[in-house]
Amino acid sequence: MSETMKKTALFALVAGLIVFTGLFQSWNTALLILNMGLISAIMSLGVNLQWGFAGLFNVGVMGFVALGGLATVLVAMPPVGEAWAAGGARVLAGLATGAALLVAVVLLRRAMRPGRARALVTLVVLVGGFFVYRAVFDPGVEAVEAVNPAGTGYLGGLGLPVLLAWPVGGLLAAGAAWIIGKAALGLRSDYLAIATLGIAEIILAVLKNEDWLSRGVKNVNGLPRPLPYEIDLQNDPGFVETVQGFGLDPVTSSSLAVKLGYAGLFSVVLLVILLAAQLALNSPWGRMMRAIRDNETAAEAMGKDVTRRHLQVFILGSAVCGIAGAMMTTLDGQLVPTSYQPLRFTFLIWVMVIVGGSGNNFGAVLGGFLIWFLWVQVEPMGYWLMQMITAPLAEDSALKAHLLGSAAHMRLFTMGLLLLLVLRFSPRGLIPER
């Protein structure tokens, strides 16, 4: 079978699984799987840029996805006027003080010669500056968080169209990646993985604890949408008349229409990123990145700045993950910092890349759709299977209760089993790199 036929057959299989879900479960479920599959495919492309192109082992995906979600709040939510009046200026002044402190330390260390004197002066400036920063920043935060803490308690956003949050999410993640990359990309691959995982946890800790920024664990609900609400469609006479003309229920049709609208928007973003990734892969830059991935020593001997190129691709991949994070938060309609778990936003994305085929953009997209479908469907399928197996057992059987209770673990079992099978029989993934 040729590579093109194999790709077509695999994508047709995934499409068939989604259609099968629509026919035998519900089209709402099928479209929800499709939309999250599109977002997962974009995240997978971001990780593939870093690992498949350059061999960078980034396990801090969750942090960049969370920054994309934060961008949605900062861009689309309306500003809270009372909070800004109470302490907004002091919060901004505190942030400016912190930034000025860091710049001053950098300039100071550049100006002084290495030695004990430089270390002592740096310590004094850092400690003194920290107290100044807290003296300016803390009163502003307390004033902001005291403004209707049950409903707001934060500064809000800019009140701009939510679609603008998607590229802003990419820029925010890219900025964080630049800072992280400057500090961590000189590390060996295993230490880089530990560093990125730790930094992702730091980002998540900030989102959970800085209420003035994103309401922390109280969550931000009611994010603006790029599409109309279902209730608005149900109250639209034109929409109701149109769907009833096809013999459809307006309530169900409104939900399907919104999900189809999201699918269209997400598909456009995926196609643009996929096209850009393919052009990059087949360009001289892409060939250089793969040469660096395969043999850094030889690439350095040929005059290539390996660290700089690693920083470039690290920023690009993180930006793609940030865009996907903003899209996902838009789809959910809320920012829930506690929902960013490494199991879902790091391990699962890596499984998508490995199963689909690292180094191959189409493989990453395929892995995104396939693994997300299985992640959603395996648990109910596992429960149905356990019900069939335990049907002959008595209702009060301890074994039956144990097996039915274990159905929730079918997700992890299936992911592990699939990963083992792919690594054994197709170690380069379902669609391997050419």
Side-chain angles (χ1 to χ4, degrees):
M1 182 184 294
S2 67
E3 183 179 352
T4 303
M5 290 180 62
K6 182 180 178 181
K7 286 182 184 178
T8 303
L10 288 170
F11 277 102
L13 173 63
V14 174
L17 291 172
I18 296 174
V19 172
F20 182 85
T21 301
L23 292 174
F24 292 96
Q25 291 186 10
S26 75
W27 286 106
N28 267 310
T29 302
L31 289 176
L32 186 59
I33 292 174
L34 174 63
N35 286 331
M36 280 305 301
L38 289 165
I39 294 173
S40 299
I42 294 172
M43 291 186 197
S44 186
L45 277 173
V47 173
N48 188 54
L49 280 172
Q50 296 171 340
W51 173 251
F53 280 36
L56 295 178
F57 190 33
N58 172 24
V59 290
V61 180
M62 176 185 65
F64 300 110
V65 173
L67 286 173
L70 175 63
T72 309
V73 174
L74 298 181
V75 170
M77 290 299 288
V80 181
E82 294 181 11
W84 277 101
R90 293 206 68 164
V91 169
L92 293 181
L95 294 175
T97 301
L101 172 63
L102 294 177
V103 171
V105 169
V106 172
L107 294 177
L108 182 66
R109 290 181 64 82
R110 287 181 178 177
M112 297 183 67
R113 293 180 179 179
R116 291 183 180 180
R118 189 176 77 167
L120 181 60
V121 172
T122 300
L123 180 62
V124 170
V125 172
L126 279 175
V127 173
F130 175 77
F131 283 106
V132 173
Y133 158 73
R134 299 301 300 197
V136 177
F137 184 68
D138 287 353
V141 169
E142 292 174 3
V144 168
E145 294 179 355
V147 176
N148 186 19
T152 53
Y154 77 128
L155 292 172
L158 300 176
L160 299 174
V162 70
L163 288 180
L164 293 178
W166 298 2
V168 171
L171 291 174
L172 191 60
W178 182 82
I179 297 172
I180 295 167
K182 281 289 187 179
L185 282 181
L187 300 174
R188 232 171 48 191
S189 60
D190 46 353
Y191 294 115
L192 175 64
I194 296 170
T196 51
L197 179 60
I199 291 167
E201 291 292 343
I202 292 172
I203 292 171
L204 190 58
V206 170
L207 290 184
K208 287 180 179 178
N209 293 286
E210 299 298 327
D211 288 11
W212 64 271
L213 179 65
S214 60
R215 299 200 72 222
V217 295
K218 292 181 285 188
N219 307 334
V220 178
N221 299 309
L223 287 167
R225 301 170 65 173
L227 298 169
Y229 286 91
E230 289 83 353
I231 190 65
D232 295 331
L233 292 177
Q234 295 164 23
N235 293 328
D236 182 354
F239 176 82
V240 172
E241 182 180 352
T242 300
V243 298
Q244 286 181 340
F246 290 99
L248 301 175
D249 174 36
V251 175
T252 304
S253 299
S254 64
S255 179
L256 294 177
V258 171
K259 288 183 174 63
L260 282 171
Y262 276 118
L265 291 173
F266 296 163
S267 297
V268 170
V269 177
L270 174 60
L271 290 174
V272 169
I273 294 176
L274 178 60
L275 176 61
Q278 279 295 102
L279 291 174
L281 181 65
N282 296 318
S283 68
W285 180 85
R287 291 191 290 272
M288 176 186 64
M289 292 308 306
R290 283 183 287 180
I292 292 174
R293 176 199 65 190
D294 294 337
N295 194 325
E296 289 187 18
T297 305
E300 284 182 325
M302 295 295 293
K304 304 301 180 184
D305 190 339
V306 172
T307 302
R308 182 182 178 187
R309 300 307 178 186
H310 276 171
L311 182 62
Q312 285 179 351
V313 79
F314 187 71
I315 290 172
L316 289 173
S318 301
V320 171
C321 291
I323 293 170
M327 293 165 60
M328 184 179 64
T329 303
T330 304
L331 178 64
D332 293 340
Q334 59 182 349
L335 176 66
V336 184
T338 54
S339 68
Y340 293 101
Q341 301 295 329
L343 176 64
R344 178 179 175 187
F345 295 104
T346 299
F347 168 75
L348 202 60
I349 303 303
W350 271 97
V351 173
M352 293 173 183
V353 173
I354 294 170
V355 170
S358 64
N360 190 309
N361 293 316
F362 288 99
V365 172
L366 174 71
F369 282 107
L370 178 60
I371 297 302
W372 182 255
F373 175 86
L374 293 174
W375 183 256
V376 172
Q377 293 289 58
V378 158
E379 185 173 340
M381 289 167 57
Y383 188 77
W384 172 82
L385 178 63
M386 291 301 177
Q387 284 182 317
M388 295 290 293
I389 293 173
T390 60
L393 300 177
E395 289 297 324
D396 59 349
S397 169
L399 177 60
K400 182 173 185 176
H402 173 73
L403 290 175
L404 290 176
S406 300
H409 304 298
M410 288 296 292
R411 278 179 168 177
L412 300 179
F413 174 78
T414 303
M415 293 300 108
L417 179 62
L418 181 62
L419 192 57
L420 287 173
L421 290 174
V422 169
L423 291 176
R424 171 61 182 83
F425 296 104
S426 183
R428 297 172 61 204
L430 297 176
I431 305 179
E433 180 183 8
R434 289 186 296 175

